[in-house]
Amino acid sequence: MKFYKTSIIFFSFFIIFIIVFSCEDKFEPNYKTFLIKVDSIQVSDNIVINEPFEIILHGIIGTNGCYQFSQFITEEQGNNITIEAWGKYNMNSHICSAVMVSLECEKLNYLIKKKGIYTIKVKLPDKNYLVRQIIIE
């Protein structure tokens, strides 16, 4: 009888162990990244050298709550500033809230150390660019 109880307890723990660890991967987010389609660029008209300023990009990230903003990637070559706005989509989520997710709250703080005319180029998913010129005084 003691062997029977021990076997049942051992078997129960074994089954629970299998259930818990076999389902673990299903609950971890699995993200697919993508380049966000930016609609417009907003920048102050009075930008001063060596003072941070905000670059605000507008656009739709996704059509439900499984879409999120991920990061900005910037590259400066001469007077050209290239910006990529990246989003991510949670592939493992089966329940996504019904909201439109946009870039409106995401701001890129940037600093330029030389006076001049600069071109901001935002890379779009279709490999084109949205372009805006700024003057640094």
Side-chain angles (χ1 to χ4, degrees), residues 50-68:
N50 288 323
E51 288 186 19
F53 64 96
E54 290 182 344
I55 301 173
I56 302 171
L57 305 179
H58 297 277
I60 302 298
I61 297 173
T63 56
N64 62 51
C66 286
Y67 289 90
Q68 298 177 338

Side-chain angles (χ1 to χ4, degrees), residues 15 34 45 56 59 69 71 87 89 92 101-102 112 116 128 137:
I15 295 297
F34 59 93
D45 291 331
I56 302 171
F69 172 75
Q71 66 180 335
Y89 178 76
N92 284 354
V101 182
S102 67
I112 296 179
N128 286 316
E137 300 176 349

Side-chain angles (χ1 to χ4, degrees), residues 6 10 16 26 35 41 43 49 56 58-59 61 75 84 90 96 104 108 116 118 120 123 133:
T6 306
F10 176 76
I16 291 170
K26 295 177 186 173
L35 201 55
I41 305 168
V43 181
I49 189 171
I56 302 171
H58 297 277
I61 297 173
E75 180 182 341
E84 295 178 357
N90 186 347
C96 302
E104 309 233 351
L108 174 62
Y118 287 79
I120 298 173
K123 189 173 182 180
Q133 282 197 328

Side-chain angles (χ1 to χ4, degrees), residues 67-123:
Y67 289 90
Q68 298 177 338
F69 172 75
S70 179
Q71 66 180 335
F72 289 119
I73 296 176
T74 61
E75 180 182 341
E76 190 173 332
Q77 290 183 343
N79 286 13
N80 290 320
I81 302 164
T82 304
I83 302 171
E84 295 178 357
W86 286 89
K88 59 185 179 179
Y89 178 76
N90 186 347
M91 303 287 288
N92 284 354
S93 183
H94 299 294
I95 301 172
C96 302
S97 57
V99 296
M100 192 69 79
V101 182
S102 67
L103 271 171
E104 309 233 351
C105 295
E106 303 301 331
K107 298 173 184 170
L108 174 62
N109 287 316
Y110 207 80
L111 177 84
I112 296 179
K113 298 178 182 179
K114 292 182 185 177
K115 291 183 179 182
I117 298 173
Y118 287 79
T119 303
I120 298 173
K121 297 169 48 177
V122 179
K123 189 173 182 180

Side-chain angles (χ1 to χ4, degrees), residues 13-30:
F13 280 119
F14 181 73
I15 295 297
I16 291 170
F17 179 81
I18 295 293
I19 290 171
V20 168
F21 288 104
S22 68
C23 296
E24 185 176 328
D25 293 339
K26 295 177 186 173
F27 297 112
E28 289 183 18
N30 178 21

